[in-house]
Amino acid sequence: MLGFLSARQTGLEDPLRLRRAESTRRVLGLELNKDRDVERIHGGGINTLDIEPVEGRYMLSGGSDGVIVLYDLENSSRQSYYTCKAVCSIGRDHPDVHRYSVETVQWYPHDTGMFTSSSFDKTLKVWDTNTLQTADVFNFEETVYSHHMSPVSTKHCLVAVGTRGPKVQLCDLKSGSCSHILQVVFAGHRQEILAVSWSPRYDYILATASADSRVKLWDVRRASGCLITLDQHNGKKSQAVESANTAHNGKVNGLCFTSDGLHLLTVGTDNRMRLWNSSNGENTLVNYGKVCNNSKKGLKFTVSCGCSSEFVFVPYGSTIAVYTVYSGEQITMLKGHYKTVDCCVFQSNFQELYSGSRDCNILAWVPSLYEPVPDDDETTTKSQLNPAFEDAWSSSDEEG
């Protein structure tokens, strides 16, 4: 590390490489923070978490009890041991509280003055953060499983909503109406939409995952809408007809773009995770092994950002499995919850992870304070080291 800093000081190292190397080291050292608690407010399981992208300071949580909680993650007390306090909550006594389980919460991407929530009570609600009052409410005919706002859009304020019906609805926050329904008679989904996600690269590209085993990419500017239906066999006619044009051999209940938007990760109830090229829909065939997924609804997983080798964090029973995105290697299993984990969110400013579980707890996973100590045995070769860690601390002038 000192050599890296010295090289950066003398101008021999690129500052971006140093930042990526340190970010990678920190992610590889994630462990349960025993000095930080997140105040327990929920009386039911935690279904969804979201950290605002402006400061990375405030976090929202939504639970199966219908309650929404806003937390301050900053250690204002400056003590080594502290609790992330709930700033406020929308509890059962609030007049606008969701009647049933809250499935998704999301901050407005451009400031903390507004956030959204959706629930099994067939509503999507838009909240004013300062007053904790609803600014708008969208009512649907079907149960709502998921919603998402584009993290990069400056031209539209559309919220994609996945429901029990086979339609993906787009709600316009500017006009307060469901402005567009993505439905193509022959190319649309056939069952409920369990997950939706906008591309972080193009504000008009939307991915949807359904219980019909299919994942579709849509261009919301086009009348026909559907661009690609992802095919796990990459169009090979030799495969069984019944699995053609399916992304998984089970329900697809999780979607997550990589931070650059070039790839899309999907998880299904066939206990598989797949990585797709988002430009042409090709299955990259990265093998992650068995990824246990027994969830009957949407599964919220996340990816790292700014590392020299990116990582994906996936709820795996009562643990969180950490994989390298492009090689499929399982790095570690984060153990701390004692019931099923349904969601996790990555805080890229400090390389921290927060996870929510049916045990009603939110846990904080932070980088270890101690660097791994190299083996004293001189016979240890580079091939025996974790490749992600090795690449991160390479002193070569070549980009890894």
Side-chain angles (χ1 to χ4, degrees):
M1 182 60 178
L2 291 177
F4 224 137
L5 290 173
S6 177
R8 170 67 194 101
Q9 187 176 18
T10 57
L12 298 176
E13 271 294 354
D14 178 49
L16 184 58
R17 277 199 75 209
L18 174 60
R19 179 175 178 174
R20 286 176 176 171
E22 175 61 9
S23 295
T24 303
R25 183 197 70 80
R26 289 171 64 85
V27 170
L28 289 172
L30 281 178
E31 62 182 12
L32 182 62
N33 191 342
K34 299 176 181 178
D35 297 325
R36 184 189 314 182
D37 285 333
V38 179
E39 187 176 2
R40 181 169 171 168
I41 301 293
H42 289 281
I46 314 297
N47 294 327
T48 174
L49 297 170
D50 191 42
I51 297 176
E52 50 88 8
V54 181
E55 297 179 80
R57 175 176 175 177
Y58 297 102
M59 180 173 71
L60 289 168
S61 68
S64 58
D65 54 1
V67 173
I68 300 172
V69 184
L70 193 160
Y71 298 94
D72 186 352
L73 303 179
E74 187 174 88
N75 181 10
S76 55
S77 68
R78 306 303 179 196
Q79 301 296 318
S80 56
Y81 179 86
Y82 70 101
T83 299
C84 297
K85 293 289 187 180
V87 176
C88 54
S89 64
I90 301 169
R92 302 311 307 172
D93 56 346
H94 193 286
D96 296 322
V97 68
H98 284 290
R99 289 180 294 135
Y100 304 130
S101 175
V102 175
E103 293 301 300
T104 309
V105 291
Q106 186 188 3
W107 287 102
Y108 181 62
H110 305 298
D111 63 58
T112 57
M114 184 173 72
F115 64 89
T116 54
S117 64
S118 59
S119 166
F120 278 172
D121 65 8
K122 304 179 182 180
T123 65
L124 166 72
K125 296 187 177 184
V126 183
W127 300 86
D128 183 319
T129 309
N130 296 317
T131 63
L132 286 188
Q133 301 297 317
T134 53
D136 208 345
V137 178
F138 296 88
N139 294 283
F140 301 91
E141 296 178 357
E142 305 278 0
T143 299
V144 178
Y145 287 106
S146 176
H147 80 270
H148 192 233
M149 286 182 287
S150 170
V152 294
S153 176
T154 56
K155 298 179 181 178
H156 69 71
C157 287
L158 298 176
V159 184
V161 182
T163 68
R164 180 167 289 179
K167 305 174 185 178
V168 181
Q169 304 197 46
L170 297 184
C171 300
D172 190 350
L173 296 186
K174 290 183 179 179
S175 66
S177 67
C178 293
S179 62
H180 191 185
I181 296 178
L182 293 182
Q183 183 185 26
V184 183
V185 176
F186 298 107
H189 287 293
R190 299 172 184 174
Q191 296 183 42
E192 59 263 34
I193 311 297
L194 297 175
V196 295
S197 181
W198 291 94
S199 166
R201 192 175 187 89
Y202 303 108
D203 60 4
Y204 50 86
I205 298 297
L206 174 68
T208 61
S210 170
D212 64 7
S213 303
R214 288 173 169 80
V215 174
K216 293 178 179 291
L217 295 178
W218 308 79
D219 183 342
V220 299
R221 302 171 303 175
R222 293 173 43 167
S224 58
C226 188
L227 288 175
I228 306 171
T229 298
L230 302 186
D231 183 358
Q232 60 183 303
H233 305 302
N234 287 332
K236 293 182 180 179
K237 298 183 184 297
S238 60
Q239 303 295 337
V241 175
E242 59 268 18
S243 63
N245 287 328
T246 60
H248 288 262
N249 296 323
K251 296 180 179 181
V252 190
N253 59 350
L255 290 172
C256 188
F257 280 95
T258 54
S259 58
D260 57 12
L262 295 177
H263 291 86
L264 175 69
L265 285 150
T266 62
V267 292
T269 56
D270 56 357
N271 294 327
R272 289 290 180 264
M273 179 163 64
R274 293 196 167 95
L275 179 70
W276 310 82
N277 184 317
S278 60
S279 62
N280 59 17
E282 181 183 9
N283 181 1
T284 63
L285 303 179
V286 174
N287 183 11
Y288 299 95
K290 181 180 179 180
V291 181
C292 184
N293 177 7
N294 297 319
S295 178
K296 296 181 180 179
K297 52 185 182 179
L299 190 72
K300 310 293 194 303
F301 66 106
T302 188
V303 294
S304 65
C305 179
C307 299
S308 57
S309 176
E310 299 297 354
F311 304 92
V312 55
F313 309 90
V314 189
Y316 191 111
S318 62
T319 67
I320 300 115
V322 184
Y323 302 88
T324 53
V325 170
Y326 301 109
S327 74
E329 178 189 3
Q330 185 182 104
I331 301 300
T332 188
M333 299 283 277
L334 302 178
K335 301 178 180 180
H337 290 286
Y338 57 89
K339 285 189 180 180
T340 302
V341 178
D342 284 321
C343 59
C344 55
V345 62
F346 186 71
Q347 213 279 31
S348 58
N349 291 353
F350 301 105
Q351 294 76 50
E352 297 174 346
L353 184 75
Y354 291 85
S355 59
S357 165
R358 296 178 193 177
D359 60 15
C360 307
N361 292 316
I362 299 173
L363 298 183
W365 309 86
V366 301
S368 170
L369 295 176
Y370 305 99
E371 294 185 22
V373 179
D375 194 336
D376 292 335
D377 187 355
E378 295 181 359
T379 62
T380 301
T381 63
K382 289 185 178 180
S383 62
Q384 293 173 298
L385 299 175
N386 185 305
F389 187 81
E390 177 186 333
D391 289 343
W393 290 103
S394 171
S395 58
S396 169
D397 289 334
E398 297 177 1
E399 275 290 334

